[in-house]
């Protein structure tokens, strides 16, 4: 996916300069191709939502649908300005969105802190507006929290992981941590892309540094 970008796509577009978008959302498919669960609400009772951006969402989504306790996943666009953007618009760098994985999970089977560990270890959160060869604002690392408890856990996990990354020679974490806002589902062909296209581009790669899960709750 990186070929769609040039290195001039690393500056966030301002709201007034963003593409106008459209009032009508993109059609969203009904069921998860792997988990046979709903992509859109309503979700099973007791489910919670976690929102993560960690580079190309094709490979990122697969990591989460393979995580025990995850009920459903979808990919979409968040953190930007353009309403109901298309993939082509996001790729211009003129919508401000990052490629997002929305994770619906059963908190009795997997904790938000464990999902944070998966998130941190699956990518390099020190790269700014890129992941590996994928360059641009749409590939930035991001956590959009859905509750005060998620915010606390996200910040604590970032601080804990920063310590072990620094010990391994990495620079500062650049992950955006902000309240969840509008989430726009990506087009149908992006949903569970690597299940539908097993040989497709992944682009996901971590630092090899383990995240100390025991510290992500802020208790240490």
């Amino acid at each position: 996916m990186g070929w769609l970008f040039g290195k001039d796509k690393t500056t966030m577009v301002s709201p007034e300069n963003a593409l106008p978008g459209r009032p009508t959302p993109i059609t969203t498919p009904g069921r998860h191709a792997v988990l046979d669960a709903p992509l859109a609400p309503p979700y099973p009772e007791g489910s919670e939502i976690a929102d993560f951006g960690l580079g190309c969402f094709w490979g990122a989504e697969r990591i989460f649908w393979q995580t025990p306790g995850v009920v459903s996943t979808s990919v979409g666009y968040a953190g930007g300005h353009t309403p109901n953007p298309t993939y082509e618009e996001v790729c211009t760098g003129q919508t401000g969105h990052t490629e997002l994985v929305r994770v619906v999970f059963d908190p009795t089977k997997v904790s938000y802190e464990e999902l944070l560990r998966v998130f941190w270890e699956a990518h390099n959160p020190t790269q700014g507006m890129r992941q590996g060869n994928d360059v641009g604002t749409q590939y930035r690392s991001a956590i959009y929290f859905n509750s005060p408890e998620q915010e606390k856990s996200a910040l604590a996990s970032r601080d804990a992981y920063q310590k072990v990354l620094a010990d391994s020679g990495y620079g500062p974490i650049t992950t955006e941590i902000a309240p969840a806002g509008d989430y726009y589902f990506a087009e149908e062909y992006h949903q569970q892309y690597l299940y539908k296209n097993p040989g497709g581009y992944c682009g996901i790669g971590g630092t090899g540094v383990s995240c100390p899960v025991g510290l992500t709750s802020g208790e240490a």
Side-chain angles (χ1 to χ4, degrees):
M1 296 168 77
W3 58 271
L4 292 167
F5 269 102
K7 291 189 177 180
D8 58 337
K9 305 290 175 63
T10 58
T11 301
M12 280 291 290
V13 66
S14 63
E16 59 270 20
N17 291 324
L19 295 175
R22 59 202 46 79
T24 305
I26 295 170
T27 301
T28 304
R31 306 291 292 181
H32 196 284
V34 180
L35 301 175
D36 191 27
L39 292 190
Y43 300 120
E45 185 176 355
S47 299
E48 296 183 13
I49 292 173
D51 292 324
F52 301 116
L54 53 158
C56 172
F57 52 23
W58 292 345
E61 186 189 15
R62 180 170 63 181
I63 290 169
F64 284 105
W65 86 53
Q66 293 174 338
T67 301
V70 169
V71 174
S72 185
T73 60
S74 65
V75 295
Y77 316 114
H81 311 299
T82 300
N84 300 298
T86 66
Y87 178 66
E88 289 73 18
E89 289 171 340
V90 172
C91 286
T92 68
Q94 299 304 301
T95 73
H97 293 95
T98 190
E99 295 191 13
L100 197 82
V101 181
R102 170 154 286 185
V103 182
V104 182
F105 66 101
D106 181 345
T108 69
K109 296 180 178 178
V110 63
S111 67
Y112 183 67
E113 288 74 21
E114 176 63 21
L115 295 177
L116 285 167
R117 182 194 66 78
V118 174
F119 165 78
W120 291 120
E121 293 182 1
H123 75 303
N124 182 343
T126 70
Q127 294 188 337
M129 299 298 184
R130 62 185 288 249
Q131 273 299 300
N133 293 326
D134 292 331
V135 179
T137 55
Q138 82 187 82
Y139 300 115
R140 69 187 184 273
S141 176
I143 300 171
Y144 297 127
F145 54 84
N146 292 277
S147 68
E149 292 76 19
Q150 285 192 359
E151 178 185 19
K152 180 180 178 181
S153 292
L155 293 172
S157 70
R158 178 198 61 191
D159 295 345
Y161 198 41
Q162 181 66 76
K163 293 177 183 177
V164 294
L165 282 177
D167 289 343
S168 298
Y170 287 90
I173 287 174
T174 59
T175 302
E176 176 187 4
I177 299 178
D182 291 328
Y183 172 69
Y184 301 106
F185 285 93
E187 294 83 345
E188 189 278 335
Y189 74 93
H190 290 299
Q191 306 296 336
Q192 299 87 62
Y193 180 86
L194 290 181
Y195 172 77
K196 301 169 184 175
N197 303 273
Y201 173 75
C202 177
I204 291 295
T207 62
V209 179
S210 297
C211 179
V213 173
L215 300 181
T216 60
S217 65
E219 294 175 354

